[in-house]
Amino acid sequence: MSASAPAGAARIQLRLELAREAVARLGGDWLLVPPSPDLVWLTGAHARSTERLVAFALPREGEPFCVVPRLEAEALGAECPWLELAVWEEHEDPFAILARRMSLARRPRVLVGEGLRVAPLLRLAAEAACVPAAAALAPLRAVKDAEEIRLLEEAARHADIIVEATADFMRPGMSEIEVARFVTDRFWAAGDHEPWVIVASGPHSALPHHMTSERRLAEDEPVLLDLGAFTGGYGSDITRTYWLGTPPEEAVRIHRVVDEARARGIEAACDGAPCEDVDRAARAVIERAGHGAHFIHRTGHGVGLDVHEPPWLVAGNRTPLARGMVHSVEPGIYLPGRYGVRLEDLVVVEEGGGRRLNTAPLDPRPPRLRT
């Protein structure tokens, strides 16, 4: 996909043609996509995933259509006036409509998008050869065009501002949930949607995906903030680790190691480099410092319409990075039962290498304590 894809209807048409080419290349007869980021990327439609079947069907040849319940049809039609809607009533079996339109009696090969609910998926699998659609859509979605990168840049700016504001807001005695509420309120006030946050204080910071709790922040303890939201449909994702009070010398050293690992990972994010090279570059720094066993997750993941999407920056993934890909670099060191440090930036792959989208300071001191 070009990094300068056209806007509006022409942009959607280009995406549909690229998807159709991918379906043909993979030997498919149909692409079937339920409500999901794939559907948004392909059509611009935002449909609910409920027990009522909504499914966009793109044939290898011919025009697409979408099976949709009557109560959702008007909204979807307004978003996609070009799209044929196969509208079903409450008393009808929508899968029967889908089966007839897709000629499932001929057992076609169907590339199925993520998010199709179990009941229709099992019925489809009984009547067609089903394979995941990721091989067709993930490479297309991974390379962002200029407008997507603009929205990701804006989302990153919002995250930069909010993570710093949150660090300045935090005080000993506040609960993690109180801090998390501050974060989500600020994202909504910025006009963003679906904000999320991990607030991990003290020993909770040693849990990479800690569930924010009622635990209260304490003096001379770390607070790990991992947060983001969606700006114009595109996500942000940033992590900073702060200390309330004075960190011990060991923690200062670990923070420096993680920061160097982050920097080396960004340096490795070059056009054409295998994804695993980014992981290797960041992990090597942590291993040299003697903490290899304490870095327990991949170095990064793609960000776009999903906060977690390809490319995956992990050992064994030889997929080459390409210009226009946007991904996180987020090494961490986690000392079980004690504390953890993670630092995360988003990076866009460009001709000269990786460019950081995040610029929030990496200093572990909250802003009010910096001189």
mmCIF file of all heavy atoms in Angstrom, residues 312-345:
data_model
loop_
_atom_site.group_PDB
_atom_site.id
_atom_site.type_symbol
_atom_site.label_atom_id
_atom_site.label_comp_id
_atom_site.label_asym_id
_atom_site.label_seq_id
_atom_site.Cartn_x
_atom_site.Cartn_y
_atom_site.Cartn_z
ATOM 1 N N TRP A 312 4.613 -7.825 15.031
ATOM 2 C CA TRP A 312 5.003 -8.244 16.373
ATOM 3 C C TRP A 312 6.530 -8.227 16.459
ATOM 4 O O TRP A 312 7.205 -8.909 15.687
ATOM 5 C CB TRP A 312 4.469 -9.644 16.679
ATOM 6 C CG TRP A 312 3.016 -9.808 16.340
ATOM 7 C CD1 TRP A 312 2.484 -10.621 15.381
ATOM 8 C CD2 TRP A 312 1.891 -9.152 16.946
ATOM 9 N NE1 TRP A 312 1.113 -10.509 15.344
ATOM 10 C CE2 TRP A 312 0.719 -9.607 16.297
ATOM 11 C CE3 TRP A 312 1.762 -8.215 17.970
ATOM 12 C CZ2 TRP A 312 -0.553 -9.178 16.643
ATOM 13 C CZ3 TRP A 312 0.498 -7.769 18.321
ATOM 14 C CH2 TRP A 312 -0.645 -8.247 17.663
ATOM 15 N N LEU A 313 7.071 -7.465 17.396
ATOM 16 C CA LEU A 313 8.521 -7.338 17.545
ATOM 17 C C LEU A 313 8.972 -8.371 18.568
ATOM 18 O O LEU A 313 9.039 -8.109 19.779
ATOM 19 C CB LEU A 313 8.899 -5.922 17.984
ATOM 20 C CG LEU A 313 8.730 -4.780 16.980
ATOM 21 C CD1 LEU A 313 9.490 -5.075 15.696
ATOM 22 C CD2 LEU A 313 7.287 -4.465 16.685
ATOM 23 N N VAL A 314 9.278 -9.566 18.079
ATOM 24 C CA VAL A 314 9.552 -10.698 18.964
ATOM 25 C C VAL A 314 10.527 -11.641 18.288
ATOM 26 O O VAL A 314 10.572 -11.721 17.042
ATOM 27 C CB VAL A 314 8.230 -11.420 19.318
ATOM 28 C CG1 VAL A 314 7.596 -12.062 18.093
ATOM 29 C CG2 VAL A 314 8.419 -12.445 20.420
ATOM 30 N N ALA A 315 11.307 -12.351 19.073
ATOM 31 C CA ALA A 315 12.263 -13.319 18.537
ATOM 32 C C ALA A 315 11.541 -14.347 17.672
ATOM 33 O O ALA A 315 10.471 -14.845 18.036
ATOM 34 C CB ALA A 315 12.998 -14.020 19.677
ATOM 35 N N GLY A 316 12.119 -14.656 16.529
ATOM 36 C CA GLY A 316 11.548 -15.636 15.620
ATOM 37 C C GLY A 316 10.686 -15.048 14.533
ATOM 38 O O GLY A 316 10.339 -15.748 13.576
ATOM 39 N N ASN A 317 10.333 -13.748 14.645
ATOM 40 C CA ASN A 317 9.524 -13.115 13.599
ATOM 41 C C ASN A 317 10.454 -12.456 12.590
ATOM 42 O O ASN A 317 11.008 -11.383 12.836
ATOM 43 C CB ASN A 317 8.577 -12.083 14.198
ATOM 44 C CG ASN A 317 7.641 -11.498 13.148
ATOM 45 O OD1 ASN A 317 7.655 -11.895 11.985
ATOM 46 N ND2 ASN A 317 6.816 -10.543 13.562
ATOM 47 N N ARG A 318 10.603 -13.106 11.444
ATOM 48 C CA ARG A 318 11.503 -12.612 10.402
ATOM 49 C C ARG A 318 10.812 -11.661 9.427
ATOM 50 O O ARG A 318 11.425 -11.218 8.457
ATOM 51 C CB ARG A 318 12.078 -13.804 9.620
ATOM 52 C CG ARG A 318 12.894 -14.785 10.445
ATOM 53 C CD ARG A 318 14.239 -14.202 10.809
ATOM 54 N NE ARG A 318 15.025 -13.851 9.632
ATOM 55 C CZ ARG A 318 16.140 -13.139 9.678
ATOM 56 N NH1 ARG A 318 16.580 -12.669 10.832
ATOM 57 N NH2 ARG A 318 16.818 -12.865 8.568
ATOM 58 N N THR A 319 9.547 -11.349 9.671
ATOM 59 C CA THR A 319 8.839 -10.409 8.793
ATOM 60 C C THR A 319 9.600 -9.089 8.735
ATOM 61 O O THR A 319 9.936 -8.516 9.785
ATOM 62 C CB THR A 319 7.421 -10.154 9.322
ATOM 63 O OG1 THR A 319 6.728 -11.391 9.433
ATOM 64 C CG2 THR A 319 6.657 -9.211 8.393
ATOM 65 N N PRO A 320 9.892 -8.581 7.537
ATOM 66 C CA PRO A 320 10.639 -7.321 7.465
ATOM 67 C C PRO A 320 9.760 -6.122 7.800
ATOM 68 O O PRO A 320 8.590 -6.053 7.412
ATOM 69 C CB PRO A 320 11.116 -7.276 6.008
ATOM 70 C CG PRO A 320 10.140 -8.127 5.258
ATOM 71 C CD PRO A 320 9.684 -9.192 6.211
ATOM 72 N N LEU A 321 10.338 -5.190 8.525
ATOM 73 C CA LEU A 321 9.672 -3.910 8.729
ATOM 74 C C LEU A 321 9.636 -3.142 7.406
ATOM 75 O O LEU A 321 10.480 -3.354 6.535
ATOM 76 C CB LEU A 321 10.415 -3.091 9.777
ATOM 77 C CG LEU A 321 10.394 -3.635 11.206
ATOM 78 C CD1 LEU A 321 11.353 -2.847 12.087
ATOM 79 C CD2 LEU A 321 8.979 -3.593 11.778
ATOM 80 N N ALA A 322 8.654 -2.272 7.269
ATOM 81 C CA ALA A 322 8.514 -1.487 6.045
ATOM 82 C C ALA A 322 8.142 -0.063 6.400
ATOM 83 O O ALA A 322 7.523 0.195 7.451
ATOM 84 C CB ALA A 322 7.452 -2.105 5.139
ATOM 85 N N ARG A 323 8.509 0.861 5.532
ATOM 86 C CA ARG A 323 8.156 2.256 5.753
ATOM 87 C C ARG A 323 6.646 2.408 5.919
ATOM 88 O O ARG A 323 5.872 1.843 5.151
ATOM 89 C CB ARG A 323 8.642 3.107 4.575
ATOM 90 C CG ARG A 323 10.123 3.443 4.639
ATOM 91 C CD ARG A 323 10.570 4.195 3.403
ATOM 92 N NE ARG A 323 10.638 3.312 2.237
ATOM 93 C CZ ARG A 323 10.943 3.713 1.012
ATOM 94 N NH1 ARG A 323 11.181 5.000 0.778
ATOM 95 N NH2 ARG A 323 11.001 2.857 0.017
ATOM 96 N N GLY A 324 6.262 3.161 6.929
ATOM 97 C CA GLY A 324 4.849 3.358 7.217
ATOM 98 C C GLY A 324 4.334 2.493 8.337
ATOM 99 O O GLY A 324 3.239 2.733 8.848
ATOM 100 N N MET A 325 5.095 1.498 8.750
ATOM 101 C CA MET A 325 4.677 0.702 9.903
ATOM 102 C C MET A 325 4.879 1.514 11.175
ATOM 103 O O MET A 325 5.863 2.243 11.318
ATOM 104 C CB MET A 325 5.467 -0.605 9.987
ATOM 105 C CG MET A 325 5.103 -1.623 8.932
ATOM 106 S SD MET A 325 6.012 -3.186 9.168
ATOM 107 C CE MET A 325 5.230 -4.195 7.895
ATOM 108 N N VAL A 326 3.937 1.381 12.101
ATOM 109 C CA VAL A 326 4.021 2.060 13.392
ATOM 110 C C VAL A 326 3.940 1.004 14.481
ATOM 111 O O VAL A 326 3.024 0.172 14.481
ATOM 112 C CB VAL A 326 2.893 3.094 13.559
ATOM 113 C CG1 VAL A 326 2.929 3.716 14.956
ATOM 114 C CG2 VAL A 326 3.012 4.177 12.488
ATOM 115 N N HIS A 327 4.906 1.024 15.392
ATOM 116 C CA HIS A 327 4.942 -0.004 16.429
ATOM 117 C C HIS A 327 5.534 0.557 17.709
ATOM 118 O O HIS A 327 6.184 1.610 17.718
ATOM 119 C CB HIS A 327 5.743 -1.221 15.960
ATOM 120 C CG HIS A 327 7.185 -0.935 15.673
ATOM 121 N ND1 HIS A 327 8.145 -0.817 16.654
ATOM 122 C CD2 HIS A 327 7.831 -0.722 14.495
ATOM 123 C CE1 HIS A 327 9.322 -0.572 16.105
ATOM 124 N NE2 HIS A 327 9.159 -0.494 14.795
ATOM 125 N N SER A 328 5.313 -0.155 18.799
ATOM 126 C CA SER A 328 5.892 0.228 20.085
ATOM 127 C C SER A 328 7.276 -0.369 20.233
ATOM 128 O O SER A 328 7.614 -1.380 19.613
ATOM 129 C CB SER A 328 4.997 -0.246 21.231
ATOM 130 O OG SER A 328 5.003 -1.668 21.318
ATOM 131 N N VAL A 329 8.079 0.272 21.071
ATOM 132 C CA VAL A 329 9.319 -0.302 21.592
ATOM 133 C C VAL A 329 9.215 -0.126 23.099
ATOM 134 O O VAL A 329 9.234 1.003 23.593
ATOM 135 C CB VAL A 329 10.569 0.404 21.029
ATOM 136 C CG1 VAL A 329 11.830 -0.142 21.694
ATOM 137 C CG2 VAL A 329 10.642 0.220 19.513
ATOM 138 N N GLU A 330 9.083 -1.227 23.839
ATOM 139 C CA GLU A 330 8.740 -1.137 25.260
ATOM 140 C C GLU A 330 9.443 -2.199 26.106
ATOM 141 O O GLU A 330 8.794 -3.075 26.678
ATOM 142 C CB GLU A 330 7.235 -1.225 25.447
ATOM 143 C CG GLU A 330 6.550 -2.390 24.742
ATOM 144 C CD GLU A 330 5.047 -2.365 24.939
ATOM 145 O OE1 GLU A 330 4.598 -2.416 26.112
ATOM 146 O OE2 GLU A 330 4.323 -2.300 23.929
ATOM 147 N N PRO A 331 10.753 -2.117 26.219
ATOM 148 C CA PRO A 331 11.459 -3.063 27.086
ATOM 149 C C PRO A 331 11.132 -2.811 28.555
ATOM 150 O O PRO A 331 10.719 -1.714 28.945
ATOM 151 C CB PRO A 331 12.926 -2.774 26.787
ATOM 152 C CG PRO A 331 12.935 -1.339 26.370
ATOM 153 C CD PRO A 331 11.660 -1.129 25.607
ATOM 154 N N GLY A 332 11.334 -3.830 29.361
ATOM 155 C CA GLY A 332 11.096 -3.693 30.792
ATOM 156 C C GLY A 332 11.925 -4.669 31.594
ATOM 157 O O GLY A 332 12.358 -5.711 31.084
ATOM 158 N N ILE A 333 12.146 -4.334 32.833
ATOM 159 C CA ILE A 333 12.781 -5.229 33.803
ATOM 160 C C ILE A 333 11.847 -5.314 35.001
ATOM 161 O O ILE A 333 11.425 -4.279 35.547
ATOM 162 C CB ILE A 333 14.166 -4.694 34.239
ATOM 163 C CG1 ILE A 333 15.151 -4.763 33.071
ATOM 164 C CG2 ILE A 333 14.704 -5.489 35.431
ATOM 165 C CD1 ILE A 333 16.519 -4.152 33.379
ATOM 166 N N TYR A 334 11.515 -6.546 35.407
ATOM 167 C CA TYR A 334 10.532 -6.772 36.454
ATOM 168 C C TYR A 334 11.144 -7.666 37.528
ATOM 169 O O TYR A 334 11.488 -8.822 37.250
ATOM 170 C CB TYR A 334 9.275 -7.413 35.874
ATOM 171 C CG TYR A 334 8.747 -6.663 34.661
ATOM 172 C CD1 TYR A 334 9.131 -7.039 33.370
ATOM 173 C CD2 TYR A 334 7.923 -5.558 34.817
ATOM 174 C CE1 TYR A 334 8.689 -6.336 32.261
ATOM 175 C CE2 TYR A 334 7.465 -4.845 33.712
ATOM 176 C CZ TYR A 334 7.857 -5.236 32.434
ATOM 177 O OH TYR A 334 7.420 -4.533 31.346
ATOM 178 N N LEU A 335 11.280 -7.140 38.728
ATOM 179 C CA LEU A 335 11.829 -7.888 39.857
ATOM 180 C C LEU A 335 10.653 -8.374 40.695
ATOM 181 O O LEU A 335 10.002 -7.571 41.386
ATOM 182 C CB LEU A 335 12.752 -7.000 40.686
ATOM 183 C CG LEU A 335 13.896 -6.319 39.907
ATOM 184 C CD1 LEU A 335 14.756 -5.484 40.854
ATOM 185 C CD2 LEU A 335 14.736 -7.346 39.160
ATOM 186 N N PRO A 336 10.312 -9.673 40.644
ATOM 187 C CA PRO A 336 9.086 -10.175 41.274
ATOM 188 C C PRO A 336 8.977 -9.796 42.746
ATOM 189 O O PRO A 336 9.932 -9.932 43.518
ATOM 190 C CB PRO A 336 9.208 -11.695 41.096
ATOM 191 C CG PRO A 336 10.086 -11.867 39.900
ATOM 192 C CD PRO A 336 11.075 -10.741 39.977
ATOM 193 N N GLY A 337 7.806 -9.286 43.112
ATOM 194 C CA GLY A 337 7.534 -8.928 44.488
ATOM 195 C C GLY A 337 8.158 -7.624 44.943
ATOM 196 O O GLY A 337 7.926 -7.174 46.077
ATOM 197 N N ARG A 338 8.954 -6.980 44.061
ATOM 198 C CA ARG A 338 9.639 -5.752 44.454
ATOM 199 C C ARG A 338 9.167 -4.569 43.620
ATOM 200 O O ARG A 338 8.399 -3.739 44.074
ATOM 201 C CB ARG A 338 11.151 -5.949 44.331
ATOM 202 C CG ARG A 338 11.701 -7.051 45.254
ATOM 203 C CD ARG A 338 13.197 -7.204 45.053
ATOM 204 N NE ARG A 338 13.877 -5.936 45.383
ATOM 205 C CZ ARG A 338 15.083 -5.607 44.915
ATOM 206 N NH1 ARG A 338 15.736 -6.439 44.099
ATOM 207 N NH2 ARG A 338 15.632 -4.454 45.259
ATOM 208 N N TYR A 339 9.602 -4.492 42.384
ATOM 209 C CA TYR A 339 9.177 -3.399 41.513
ATOM 210 C C TYR A 339 9.595 -3.728 40.079
ATOM 211 O O TYR A 339 10.367 -4.660 39.828
ATOM 212 C CB TYR A 339 9.780 -2.053 41.938
ATOM 213 C CG TYR A 339 11.280 -1.978 41.869
ATOM 214 C CD1 TYR A 339 11.933 -1.622 40.691
ATOM 215 C CD2 TYR A 339 12.062 -2.256 42.993
ATOM 216 C CE1 TYR A 339 13.311 -1.556 40.622
ATOM 217 C CE2 TYR A 339 13.443 -2.190 42.938
ATOM 218 C CZ TYR A 339 14.059 -1.840 41.755
ATOM 219 O OH TYR A 339 15.421 -1.777 41.685
ATOM 220 N N GLY A 340 9.071 -2.933 39.153
ATOM 221 C CA GLY A 340 9.434 -3.085 37.751
ATOM 222 C C GLY A 340 9.583 -1.728 37.095
ATOM 223 O O GLY A 340 9.071 -0.715 37.590
ATOM 224 N N VAL A 341 10.292 -1.692 35.973
ATOM 225 C CA VAL A 341 10.479 -0.481 35.179
ATOM 226 C C VAL A 341 10.200 -0.821 33.725
ATOM 227 O O VAL A 341 10.778 -1.780 33.185
ATOM 228 C CB VAL A 341 11.913 0.071 35.312
ATOM 229 C CG1 VAL A 341 12.111 1.267 34.375
ATOM 230 C CG2 VAL A 341 12.210 0.468 36.756
ATOM 231 N N ARG A 342 9.308 -0.084 33.091
ATOM 232 C CA ARG A 342 9.071 -0.220 31.650
ATOM 233 C C ARG A 342 9.005 1.183 31.054
ATOM 234 O O ARG A 342 8.438 2.098 31.666
ATOM 235 C CB ARG A 342 7.774 -0.977 31.353
ATOM 236 C CG ARG A 342 7.498 -1.135 29.859
ATOM 237 C CD ARG A 342 6.430 -2.176 29.538
ATOM 238 N NE ARG A 342 5.086 -1.771 29.895
ATOM 239 C CZ ARG A 342 4.388 -2.289 30.907
ATOM 240 N NH1 ARG A 342 4.950 -3.198 31.691
ATOM 241 N NH2 ARG A 342 3.153 -1.887 31.166
ATOM 242 N N LEU A 343 9.593 1.336 29.882
ATOM 243 C CA LEU A 343 9.559 2.593 29.135
ATOM 244 C C LEU A 343 9.130 2.284 27.710
ATOM 245 O O LEU A 343 9.701 1.389 27.078
ATOM 246 C CB LEU A 343 10.935 3.268 29.143
ATOM 247 C CG LEU A 343 11.480 3.640 30.530
ATOM 248 C CD1 LEU A 343 12.921 4.101 30.421
ATOM 249 C CD2 LEU A 343 10.626 4.713 31.198
ATOM 250 N N GLU A 344 8.154 3.021 27.213
ATOM 251 C CA GLU A 344 7.577 2.698 25.901
ATOM 252 C C GLU A 344 7.361 3.953 25.077
ATOM 253 O O GLU A 344 6.783 4.942 25.546
ATOM 254 C CB GLU A 344 6.234 1.993 26.088
ATOM 255 C CG GLU A 344 5.481 1.724 24.801
ATOM 256 C CD GLU A 344 4.101 1.156 25.037
ATOM 257 O OE1 GLU A 344 3.582 1.291 26.168
ATOM 258 O OE2 GLU A 344 3.535 0.583 24.089
ATOM 259 N N ASP A 345 7.826 3.883 23.840
ATOM 260 C CA ASP A 345 7.530 4.892 22.822
ATOM 261 C C ASP A 345 6.924 4.204 21.609
ATOM 262 O O ASP A 345 7.217 3.031 21.340
ATOM 263 C CB ASP A 345 8.809 5.604 22.359
ATOM 264 C CG ASP A 345 9.361 6.572 23.383
ATOM 265 O OD1 ASP A 345 8.568 7.121 24.176
ATOM 266 O OD2 ASP A 345 10.590 6.791 23.393
#
